[in-house]
Every structure is written in C-alpha cells, then in structure tokens.
Amino acid sequence: MLSNIRIVLVEPSHPGNIGATARAMKNMSLEHLYLVSPEKYPHEEASARASGADDVLDAAVVTDSLSAALADCTLVLGASARLRTLSWPQLDPRQAAEHACGASQTSRVAIVFGRERTGLSNAELDLCQYLVHIPCNENFSSLNLAAAVQVLCYEIFAAYQQYPRQAQSIGDNIPADQLEMQRFYRHLEDTLVNIEFLDPDQPKKLMRRLRRLFNRAQPEQTEINILRGILSAVDKGYGK
Ligand code: SAH
C-alpha cells in the first residue's frame, strides 16, 4: 500500500533536491513523485543526485498546479518548517506516518513539500488537512528539502512495518477525494455569498475555518453528495 502514497514537491528550484528526493524515497520503498512546476526538470544534476533512483526520478509526474497533483487523493499532509497559526491541525512525523499508513489502505495519500526559499503558501496549505512539522532546533528550523522528505519517508516506512496487514475490503465508505472536496467548498462559498451569510468584501477567515471543520471529519463521497444536495436546495430557495 506504500504505492498509494505520493510525495509532492511544489516549485522546487534546485534540480539536485529533486534527485536527492527521489533517492530518499526509493531508500524507503516509495516510488510516486509529483513535481509542481519545477524550475529545472529533467536535469543532469537531478540524475546525478538520484544515484540509482533514476526510475523514481524518470517516472515523476509534472503538473502545473498543486490541485492537479492532489486531485485523486483523500488525505493530504503539508510539511512546514514554520509553525503557523492554529488554522491547521498539526501532526509530528510519526503521527503523520500513522495517518498516511491508515488512509493508504483504501485510498491515495499525498505529502506536500514547499519551495526551498519560501515554503508553502497559506492557499496551498488550505488544500491540506494537516500540517506536519519536524521538531528540531527552534532557532534553525528549516531543513534542506530532501532531508525533510527523508525524515517523513523514513517514518512512513517504519509505520508500515508495524501496521497490521489484514486485507481491507473497500465497501461503500469511499472517502471523498480532493477534487470532490474542492468542488464542495466552492459550492458552499457560493451559497453562503448567495444567502448573504458571507460578505465577499469581508470574508475574514470563514472559509478557512469551515474547511478545517470538514477536513477534520474526512467525509465520504455519499456524505459530500448529501451536503451538495442540501446546498442546491438552498440555492433553489434563494432563486439561484
Ligand atoms: N524558508 C522556508 C523553508 C523551506 S524548506 C520556510 O520558511 O517555509 C523547504 C521545504 O522543506 C518546506 O516547505 C517544508 O515542506 C520542508 N521542511 C523543511 N524543514 C521542515 C521542518 N522542520 N518540518 C517540516 N517540513 C520541513
């Protein structure tokens, strides 16, 4: 089920880091690498640093947006060097690996890493259910990108050694994927504006708070369909 876990790098600028990431992944039996608008890929420096993990590197999927890289994932974890405000529930690497391990039994999971210079934006973290922070020296908390990938891949590998290997049947309870969740949030926002609960000129943090609430619940597809149905009924009542 490790094959259900992907590593996503957002706009990496150094090809060496892409290669080192591929190597860090393969060492821990992970193989699915996604690159969102990499500055230089393919590149000889990436191949040199991959040293033997060329298969992972060559099979990397390049997308032009983070949401495209996450569309079919149900659990998305964002790795952040900085501790943000309380908008995102936070996990340490071990907890993150346990979540990833559990979710990957039935669906796809992404671990997202940010740019070398600026990390992940708040809008990008909005696509993540959890933020993962690697505890370290508080005065020097930014690890090299591939080193951060290594820590998380190791924890995932270790968590898999522990995980009970019972076969799980996929029943009706299929979790909603990111594409469905993003469509739901757009619908919710439109309806809230429509009923004048949300003022688009003064949105404050309402949508971020609501995302956090629904992300915590990790709704199933059928539940999202019910919620969308309710929103459509409200839209109709308001003549939309
Ligand atoms: N200067 C950037 C740090 C970028 S480091 C910033 O302040 O955000 C590049 C990426 O490596 C980060 O976006 C994050 O995904 C990962 N990373 C680095 N250090 C980390 C840490 N201590 N915990 C979790 N992820 C980390």
Side-chain angles (χ1 to χ4, degrees), residues 8 78-82 84 93 112-120 131-136 140-149 152:
V8 182
S80 176
R82 280 169 290 156
R84 318 264 173 155
V112 183
F113 294 83
R115 300 157 188 81
E116 289 91 339
R117 272 185 292 275
T118 53
L120 293 167
L131 187 153
V132 190
H133 178 71
I134 301 165
C136 53
F140 193 59
S141 69
S142 176
L143 276 70
N144 163 265
L145 175 57
V149 171
L152 286 208

Coordinates of all heavy atoms in Angstrom, one line a residue, residues 8 78-82 84 93 112-120 131-136 140-149 152, ligand 1:
V8 N 4.9 15.1 -3.1 CA 4.7 16.2 -4.0 C 5.7 17.4 -3.6 O 5.7 17.8 -2.5 CB 3.2 16.7 -3.9 CG1 3.0 17.9 -4.9 CG2 2.2 15.6 -4.1
G78 N 0.6 18.6 4.6 CA 1.6 19.6 4.2 C 2.7 19.7 5.2 O 2.5 20.0 6.3
A79 N 4.0 19.6 4.7 CA 5.1 19.7 5.5 C 5.6 21.2 5.6 O 5.8 21.8 4.6 CB 6.3 18.9 5.0
S80 N 5.7 21.7 6.8 CA 6.0 23.1 7.0 C 7.1 23.3 8.0 O 7.1 22.7 9.1 CB 4.8 23.8 7.4 OG 5.1 25.2 7.7
A81 N 8.1 24.1 7.6 CA 9.2 24.4 8.5 C 8.8 25.4 9.6 O 9.4 25.4 10.7 CB 10.4 25.0 7.7
R82 N 7.8 26.1 9.3 CA 7.3 27.1 10.3 C 6.0 26.6 11.0 O 5.2 26.0 10.4 CB 7.0 28.4 9.6 CG 8.2 29.3 9.3 CD 7.9 30.4 8.4 NE 7.6 29.9 7.1 CZ 6.8 30.6 6.2 NH1 6.2 31.7 6.6 NH2 6.6 30.1 5.0
R84 N 2.5 27.6 12.0 CA 1.6 28.6 11.6 C 0.6 28.9 12.7 O 0.7 28.3 13.8 CB 0.9 28.2 10.3 CG 1.8 27.5 9.3 CD 2.3 28.4 8.3 NE 3.2 27.7 7.4 CZ 3.5 28.1 6.2 NH1 2.9 29.1 5.6 NH2 4.4 27.4 5.5
P93 N 6.0 13.9 12.7 CA 6.2 13.0 11.6 C 5.6 11.6 11.9 O 5.1 10.9 11.0 CB 7.7 13.0 11.5 CG 8.1 14.3 11.9 CD 7.2 14.7 13.1
V112 N 3.0 16.9 1.0 CA 3.4 18.0 0.1 C 4.5 18.8 0.8 O 4.5 19.1 2.0 CB 2.2 19.0 -0.1 CG1 2.5 20.1 -1.0 CG2 1.0 18.2 -0.6
F113 N 5.5 19.1 0.0 CA 6.7 19.9 0.5 C 6.8 21.2 -0.3 O 6.5 21.3 -1.5 CB 8.0 19.1 0.3 CG 8.0 17.9 1.1 CD1 7.4 16.7 0.7 CD2 8.6 17.9 2.4 CE1 7.3 15.6 1.5 CE2 8.6 16.7 3.2 CZ 8.0 15.6 2.8
G114 N 7.3 22.3 0.4 CA 7.3 23.6 -0.2 C 8.6 24.0 -0.9 O 9.5 23.2 -1.0
R115 N 8.6 25.2 -1.4 CA 9.8 25.7 -2.1 C 10.9 25.9 -1.2 O 10.7 26.2 0.0 CB 9.4 27.1 -2.7 CG 8.3 27.1 -3.6 CD 7.6 28.5 -3.7 NE 6.4 28.4 -4.5 CZ 5.2 28.0 -4.0 NH1 5.1 27.7 -2.7 NH2 4.2 28.0 -4.8
E116 N 12.2 25.8 -1.7 CA 13.3 25.9 -0.8 C 13.4 27.3 -0.1 O 13.7 27.4 1.0 CB 14.6 25.8 -1.7 CG 14.9 24.4 -2.2 CD 14.3 24.2 -3.5 OE1 13.4 24.9 -3.9 OE2 14.8 23.2 -4.2
R117 N 13.0 28.3 -0.8 CA 13.1 29.7 -0.2 C 11.9 30.1 0.6 O 12.1 30.7 1.7 CB 13.4 30.7 -1.3 CG 14.8 30.9 -1.7 CD 15.0 32.0 -2.6 NE 14.5 31.7 -4.0 CZ 15.1 31.0 -4.9 NH1 16.4 30.6 -4.7 NH2 14.6 30.8 -6.1
T118 N 10.7 29.8 0.1 CA 9.5 30.4 0.8 C 8.5 29.3 1.3 O 7.5 29.7 1.9 CB 8.8 31.3 -0.2 OG1 8.5 30.6 -1.4 CG2 9.6 32.5 -0.6
G119 N 8.8 28.1 1.1 CA 7.9 27.0 1.7 C 6.6 27.0 0.9 O 6.5 27.2 -0.3
L120 N 5.5 26.7 1.7 CA 4.2 26.6 1.1 C 3.4 27.9 1.5 O 3.5 28.4 2.6 CB 3.4 25.4 1.7 CG 4.0 24.0 1.3 CD1 3.4 22.9 2.1 CD2 3.7 23.7 -0.2
L131 N -1.0 19.8 8.9 CA 0.3 20.3 8.7 C 1.3 19.4 9.5 O 0.9 19.0 10.6 CB 0.3 21.7 9.3 CG 1.4 22.7 9.2 CD1 0.8 24.1 9.2 CD2 2.4 22.5 10.3
V132 N 2.4 19.1 8.9 CA 3.4 18.2 9.6 C 4.6 19.1 9.8 O 5.2 19.7 8.9 CB 3.8 17.0 8.7 CG1 4.6 16.1 9.6 CG2 2.6 16.3 8.1
H133 N 5.1 19.1 11.1 CA 6.3 19.8 11.4 C 7.3 18.9 12.0 O 6.9 18.1 12.9 CB 6.0 21.0 12.4 CG 7.2 21.7 12.8 ND1 7.9 22.6 12.0 CD2 7.8 21.8 14.0 CE1 8.9 23.1 12.6 NE2 8.9 22.6 13.8
I134 N 8.5 18.9 11.5 CA 9.6 18.0 12.1 C 10.2 18.8 13.2 O 10.8 19.9 13.0 CB 10.6 17.7 11.0 CG1 10.0 17.0 9.8 CG2 11.8 16.9 11.6 CD1 10.9 17.0 8.6
P135 N 10.0 18.3 14.5 CA 10.6 19.0 15.6 C 12.1 19.1 15.4 O 12.8 18.2 15.1 CB 10.2 18.2 16.8 CG 9.3 17.1 16.3 CD 9.5 17.0 14.8
C136 N 12.7 20.3 15.7 CA 14.1 20.5 15.6 C 14.5 21.7 16.3 O 13.7 22.3 17.0 CB 14.5 20.6 14.1 SG 13.6 21.8 13.2
F140 N 16.7 27.2 14.3 CA 17.2 26.8 12.9 C 16.4 25.7 12.4 O 16.8 24.5 12.4 CB 18.7 26.4 13.1 CG 19.4 26.2 11.8 CD1 19.6 27.3 10.9 CD2 20.0 25.0 11.4 CE1 20.3 27.2 9.7 CE2 20.7 24.9 10.2 CZ 20.8 26.0 9.4
S141 N 15.1 26.0 12.1 CA 14.1 25.0 12.0 C 13.8 24.6 10.5 O 13.0 23.7 10.3 CB 12.8 25.5 12.6 OG 12.2 26.5 11.8
S142 N 14.6 25.2 9.6 CA 14.3 24.8 8.2 C 15.3 23.8 7.7 O 16.5 24.1 7.5 CB 14.4 26.1 7.4 OG 14.3 25.8 6.0
L143 N 14.8 22.6 7.5 CA 15.7 21.5 7.0 C 15.8 21.7 5.5 O 15.0 22.3 4.8 CB 15.1 20.1 7.2 CG 15.3 19.5 8.6 CD1 14.5 20.2 9.7 CD2 14.8 18.0 8.5
N144 N 16.9 21.1 4.9 CA 17.0 21.0 3.5 C 15.8 20.2 3.0 O 15.4 19.3 3.6 CB 18.3 20.3 3.1 CG 18.3 19.8 1.7 OD1 18.0 18.7 1.4 ND2 18.6 20.7 0.7
L145 N 15.3 20.6 1.8 CA 14.1 20.0 1.3 C 14.2 18.5 1.2 O 13.3 17.8 1.8 CB 13.8 20.5 -0.2 CG 12.7 20.0 -1.0 CD1 11.4 20.1 -0.3 CD2 12.6 20.7 -2.3
A146 N 15.2 17.9 0.6 CA 15.3 16.4 0.5 C 15.5 15.8 1.9 O 15.1 14.6 2.1 CB 16.5 16.1 -0.4
A147 N 16.1 16.5 2.8 CA 16.3 16.0 4.2 C 15.0 15.9 4.9 O 14.7 14.9 5.6 CB 17.3 16.9 5.0
A148 N 14.1 16.9 4.6 CA 12.8 16.8 5.2 C 12.0 15.7 4.6 O 11.3 14.9 5.3 CB 12.0 18.1 5.0
V149 N 12.1 15.5 3.3 CA 11.5 14.3 2.7 C 11.9 13.0 3.3 O 11.2 12.1 3.6 CB 11.7 14.3 1.1 CG1 11.2 13.1 0.5 CG2 11.1 15.6 0.5
L152 N 10.3 12.2 6.7 CA 8.9 11.7 6.6 C 8.8 10.3 5.9 O 8.0 9.5 6.3 CB 8.0 12.7 5.8 CG 7.7 14.0 6.6 CD1 6.4 14.6 6.2 CD2 7.7 13.7 8.1
Ligands
SAH1 N1 12.2 29.1 4.2 C1 11.2 28.2 4.1 C2 11.6 26.8 4.3 C3 11.6 26.0 3.1 S1 12.4 24.4 3.4 C4 10.1 28.5 5.0 O1 10.3 29.3 5.9 O2 9.0 28.0 4.9 C5 11.6 23.5 2.1 C6 10.5 22.6 2.5 O3 11.1 21.6 3.3 C7 9.4 23.3 3.4 O4 8.5 23.9 2.6 C8 8.9 22.0 4.1 O5 8.0 21.4 3.2 C9 10.1 21.2 4.3 N2 10.7 21.4 5.6 C10 11.8 22.0 5.9 N3 12.0 22.0 7.3 C11 11.0 21.4 7.8 C12 10.5 21.0 9.1 N4 11.2 21.4 10.2 N5 9.4 20.4 9.3 C13 8.6 20.1 8.2 N6 8.9 20.3 7.0 C14 10.1 21.0 6.7

